[in-house]
Amino acid sequence: IIVNSVLIKNQIIESYGTDPAKIRLVRNGIKIKKLNSNQSYEKLSNEFSLMPNQTYILYVGSGFQRKGVNEFLQIISKLDSKNIKAFIVGKDKRINDYIHIAKNLGIEDKVIFTGPREDVDDFYTISDIFLFPTHYEPFSNVILEAMSFENVIYTTKQNGASEILGNEFIMKNPKDFSIVDRIDKLLKNTKKLNEIQLKNRIESKKFSIDKNLVNTLKVINEVIN
């Protein structure tokens, strides 16, 4: 059995009593792309009237309830930092309910619901922080994608992708609002923010599609031989 996170490995063992020796961990892989910050900013600025020196916080995903959009909005509403624009990229049949939540929280001017987009890479490129307070994910590729576009990542321990992050970037659960203070402190420390962004870009290169393929074939060949 090939799994992409220890989270899933443990769930299989607990649910089915599977021998751990029969389970192999192979992380997901992504294609590392080139960044063109000026082009992406200009493109999205024309559409969304972006302002210089704003901080951009991003969410990407469809199925808002499980993936924590309600909690995302609550976190945005609690931040002390005022010069923020948040993008929620993805679709949900109840999207108008979430737009209403943002209005009730008084952040309708800070949050843009884009709906599904073909140009998600542009949003990754301009954003500073990728916030993903999901309730459950075996290993979400959006974490690797956001890292590769030089984002600071925050997600929950219920996301298998949290296993590749440091503890300061992991929420105990979607309603772990202690993350608000951590984000506020980071936004006040531009040097540290930039260092983490560059570090994440480098770290993401360890998770290539080629490496995923090699490790998957290795497991298959061990079994058939």
Side-chain angles (χ1 to χ4, degrees):
I1 300 173
I2 297 175
V3 298
N4 55 9
S5 67
V6 176
L7 173 71
I8 298 304
K9 177 180 178 178
N10 290 339
Q11 287 180 348
I12 290 173
I13 294 169
E14 292 170 7
S15 298
Y16 303 105
T18 306
D19 180 358
K22 292 184 177 181
I23 304 175
R24 296 288 293 274
L25 176 65
V26 177
R27 298 292 193 192
N28 290 4
I30 60 167
K31 181 180 179 181
I32 305 298
K33 302 175 182 177
K34 293 182 178 180
L35 296 109
N36 192 328
S37 299
N38 291 336
Q39 180 177 305
S40 294
Y41 182 84
E42 183 177 353
K43 176 179 178 294
L44 295 181
S45 182
N46 290 335
E47 182 175 356
F48 298 108
S49 301
L50 306 182
M51 300 295 291
N53 302 318
Q54 276 186 319
T55 296
Y56 299 105
I57 301 179
L58 179 65
Y59 162 98
V60 175
S62 297
F64 288 179
Q65 183 175 357
R66 177 171 66 84
K67 296 187 179 182
V69 169
N70 187 11
E71 290 81 5
F72 177 95
L73 293 171
Q74 291 185 56
I75 292 167
I76 296 299
S77 73
K78 295 175 187 295
L79 290 171
D80 285 336
S81 305
K82 304 303 180 186
N83 196 24
I84 287 174
K85 186 70 72 176
F87 287 99
I88 296 176
V89 180
K91 63 180 180 179
D92 190 279
K93 61 184 179 181
R94 295 178 53 238
I95 192 168
N96 287 332
D97 293 344
Y98 291 94
I99 293 173
H100 188 65
I101 291 171
K103 185 176 182 179
N104 285 343
L105 290 170
I107 54 172
E108 67 269 28
D109 59 330
K110 291 183 178 180
V111 180
I112 296 174
F113 291 82
T114 71
R117 303 279 299 207
E118 295 293 330
D119 56 351
V120 180
D121 287 355
D122 289 316
F123 290 90
Y124 282 133
T125 300
I126 71 162
S127 60
D128 302 287
I129 291 174
F130 187 82
L131 174 60
F132 198 64
T134 182
H135 291 246
Y136 178 75
E137 292 284 330
F139 189 110
S140 51
N141 259 29
V142 291
I143 298 300
L144 288 178
E145 291 166 358
M147 289 175 68
S148 74
F149 283 94
E150 295 184 357
N151 281 258
V152 176
I153 311 297
Y154 293 98
T155 191
T156 60
K157 71 174 184 179
Q158 289 77 30
N159 182 355
S162 68
E163 295 163 13
I164 67 172
L165 302 175
N167 289 334
E168 65 182 299
F169 306 104
I170 302 173
M171 302 167 63
K172 294 177 182 177
N173 55 63
K175 295 188 182 299
D176 177 11
F177 296 131
S178 67
I179 201 73
V180 172
D181 185 56
R182 281 178 268 171
I183 294 174
D184 270 328
K185 285 181 178 178
L186 184 61
L187 292 180
K188 294 174 183 176
N189 190 338
T190 305
K191 181 180 179 181
K192 183 178 180 181
L193 176 71
N194 292 338
E195 287 174 353
I196 296 169
Q197 289 172 330
L198 294 174
K199 180 181 177 181
N200 279 350
R201 168 77 173 179
I202 294 169
E203 186 70 16
S204 71
K205 294 179 180 179
K206 298 178 182 178
F207 301 91
S208 67
I209 293 175
D210 289 343
K211 186 174 181 179
N212 173 274
L213 177 60
V214 168
N215 289 337
T216 300
L217 290 175
K218 182 179 178 182
V219 176
I220 294 172
N221 286 328
E222 286 177 3
V223 173
I224 64 176
N225 292 325

